[in-house]
Structures are given as structure tokens and as C-alpha cells.
Amino acid sequence: MTSFKKSLSMIKPISHFLAVVSNQSVTHAGEALGIAPSRISESLKYLEEIWNVQLFRREGRQMKLTNAGQRAYERYHHLVYTLLDTVSEDIDPDAIPSVLSITTPVDIGTHLMPSVISSFNKQYPNVEVKLFASDQVMDMSEADIDLAIRVGKLRGKATTEEEVIMKTRPFLAASPEIIQNIREGLYPEGAPFIRLLRLPESKEMKLKSTDATLKLKTVAASDNATAAQQMAYDGLGAALFTGLPTKPYLEKGRLEKIDHVVMPDIYIFASWPGRRMTQGAKALLELFKLELSEQQKLYG
């Protein structure tokens, strides 16, 4: 491997190393970067082998830098951020790329983005918009994503920036039969619940209007919000809806609201790699905000 190629191969492992320092945990670093913790561990092992040092020592659940790790951090974190600043300054932020890649959850991609992309194409007919609608969180750098619209808790990644668009009002919904059974106390072990795998497992939820606590028993789980909601439509159990103003989720006689729930704040937010959003991403994000505002008037 040439010296130049070797230097390039070091960039990603070093960024993983810096993320572990920032998050004090391989698991949290993986969550912050949107990649598997095993890949973070592989990067650390790679660096320790080529540098012939131990970078971290464990103290309980936290990762603490060794003296060698501290020296590596002091040397490389300045270089990495200087490189990012230099690249950002050299690229014209007002230039509209010929291709704009974005990712959104499935429901936003299905119900909001077609109108947004249509409006964007009228303003920028020479720009191709590639939409990746998925409930899986993508690695933005690896997938070459310019803009992500997310729903959930703010991630606070070291390698991306975030902007809150709006706060949602999550609620539980189920079929009328399940709601009636809940009211009659027919679920002593907990109401049947369809859990989203991306959310923390919960055996109970506090209802907002009554201040009561509803016991839950997971009967199914999915990493796809649309699939979980469809199970609720089919009467399998109650499901958590994040309250996106994308369409009227509820349908009388089939799926009805139990109550809004008390839980950590969930936001619709934008995320983009680096420190500056491209002009194309800015334009599309503004159109998305306008569309979201219109939908809020209709369904919020």
C-alpha cells in the first residue's frame, strides 16, 4: 500500500476513534455515527495494531484514554476538524449539485416528499433528486447522503449537524375492540402492544389526559414503523404513532386513539454531514417545511 493510500485508509478509523472519545463508549459512538458498534471496535483494533499502542482502558462502562490514546487524540482531532473546515471553505456552498440524495422515514417519503420533490424540480430542473425512504438509519457518509429527515430523539453526532423542524405529539392507538377490553380491565398482564425496535422497550406508558399508567405486553415488534402501524390497523395490538401530520392515521371503527402519551421528546429534524448544508439541501429543506406546515393545518 502506498503512503498516500495508507493515509486515506486511516481517515475513517481515526474518525471512529474520535467518536469513542466524545461518547466514552463504543456503543454510543456507533449510535452517534449510525453504524454497528462492531465496526467501531474493528477500527480501534486496526489503529492499535498499526500504532502498536493501547488507546483505551475500561472504567466500569466508560472508555478512558490511556496516555498513548490521549496523545493520539490531541494530535488527530485538530487535524480532522481542520481538514473539514478546509474542504468546506474550498467548496462553493452556493453551487447546486447535479444530484441531491436525501433519506426519510417511509411515511414521510410516501406522503410528503413527492410534493416537495415536484416543487423542487420546478425550481431546479437540472438537479436529480434521489430519495431513499427507509425506517433504517443510514450511514450518511457511506451512502453519500446530502440531507436526512429524521423522526425521533436528537442524535447529537460529532460528524453531522442537526436542525429541529417540529416537536411531535406521540399517541397510542388500537382497534375499538382492544380499547374496549382495556377499559374493562381484560388485560391484567398488559394490553397487547406492537413495539418499534428503534425505541426503548417499555412495559408501561403514562397516558397524558388521565395521568393513568397503561401496562403493555409486547406481542409483536418491527423495525419498520409502517409495518407496525399496519399491524395495529389489522387489530393485532396497540401501536405508538409519532403524530406526524402526514395523513389522518385514525379511522373510526378500525383504528382509534387511546391517548397521547408521556415520553421523552420526539422531533422531526433535519441532519446533514459536515458543518455546512449545501444550497440544494437548503432549498429542499425549506420546501419540506412549507409542505409540513400545510399538512399540519390539515391533520395536525
Side-chain angles (χ1 to χ4, degrees):
M1 182 183 293
T2 66
S3 177
F4 177 70
K5 287 183 178 179
K6 184 176 180 180
S7 297
L8 287 179
S9 70
M10 296 283 287
I11 293 175
K12 186 168 290 185
I14 290 174
S15 69
H16 292 174
F17 163 65
L18 296 177
V20 175
V21 176
S22 298
N23 293 275
Q24 297 186 327
S25 160
V26 169
T27 300
H28 292 160
E31 291 174 351
L33 295 175
I35 61 177
S38 60
R39 290 178 55 192
I40 302 288
S41 298
E42 289 171 3
S43 291
L44 296 182
K45 182 179 179 182
Y46 171 74
L47 292 176
E48 289 182 331
E49 287 179 352
I50 63 172
W51 288 340
N52 194 28
V53 297
Q54 181 181 346
L55 295 172
F56 293 96
R57 65 177 184 277
R58 287 193 174 274
E59 291 186 4
R61 295 184 178 181
Q62 292 187 335
M63 305 274 288
K64 296 293 186 180
L65 286 170
T66 62
N67 289 337
Q70 183 64 38
R71 289 193 297 272
Y73 175 75
E74 291 173 355
R75 178 178 182 181
Y76 288 107
H77 92 279
H78 291 299
L79 292 175
V80 169
Y81 287 113
T82 299
L83 174 63
L84 289 174
D85 285 340
T86 302
V87 170
S88 297
E89 289 168 2
D90 289 344
I91 296 175
D92 180 4
D94 295 325
I96 304 294
S98 59
V99 177
L100 182 65
S101 298
I102 59 175
T103 179
T104 73
V106 172
D107 48 3
I108 287 180
T110 301
H111 300 289
L112 286 177
M113 294 313 297
S115 176
V116 173
I117 293 173
S118 176
S119 298
F120 181 86
N121 285 337
K122 290 177 182 177
Q123 294 184 27
Y124 304 98
N126 296 323
V127 179
E128 178 188 1
V129 178
K130 291 185 177 180
L131 171 63
F132 301 91
S134 172
D135 289 318
Q136 300 290 326
V137 176
M138 301 178 70
D139 185 323
M140 296 182 69
S141 59
E142 285 204 351
D144 199 20
I145 298 295
D146 298 293
L147 177 68
I149 305 295
R150 310 283 197 198
V151 180
K153 296 188 294 183
L154 298 179
R155 302 174 66 82
K157 290 185 180 181
T159 56
T160 60
E161 295 292 329
E162 296 172 342
E163 176 186 333
V164 172
I165 300 171
M166 67 174 288
K167 184 177 176 180
T168 68
R169 298 182 64 216
F171 61 88
L172 279 172
S175 67
E177 180 181 359
I178 288 177
I179 293 175
Q180 184 62 33
N181 290 343
I182 290 173
R183 289 171 179 166
E184 294 178 2
L186 299 183
Y187 299 120
E189 296 183 0
F193 179 59
I194 303 155
R195 185 172 79 86
L196 272 179
L197 292 174
R198 69 187 185 199
L199 296 178
E201 185 170 7
S202 178
K203 294 184 178 180
E204 59 182 34
M205 285 191 181
K206 191 173 183 179
L207 304 182
K208 208 155 194 175
S209 63
T210 63
D211 210 30
T213 298
L214 178 64
K215 291 175 62 178
L216 301 170
K217 182 179 180 181
T218 299
V219 295
S222 175
D223 59 3
N224 185 306
T226 303
Q229 291 162 3
Q230 185 59 51
M231 292 183 211
Y233 277 118
D234 293 339
L236 185 61
L240 181 68
F241 290 74
T242 52
L244 295 177
T246 55
K247 64 173 182 175
Y249 287 108
L250 305 178
E251 184 179 330
K252 189 170 179 60
R254 187 180 180 195
L255 186 72
E256 299 179 5
K257 183 189 295 183
I258 298 174
D259 198 354
H260 287 283
V261 297
V262 178
M263 64 182 303
D265 292 339
I266 293 180
Y267 299 94
I268 302 175
F269 63 97
S271 179
W272 60 94
R275 297 186 178 184
R276 295 182 182 178
M277 190 188 303
T278 66
Q279 191 66 21
K282 285 180 182 178
L284 190 136
L285 180 58
E286 289 306 311
L287 290 171
F288 174 77
K289 291 177 182 177
L290 288 174
E291 180 65 19
L292 193 63
S293 177
E294 291 300 314
Q295 295 294 315
Q296 179 80 359
K297 294 175 184 177
L298 291 173
Y299 305 129

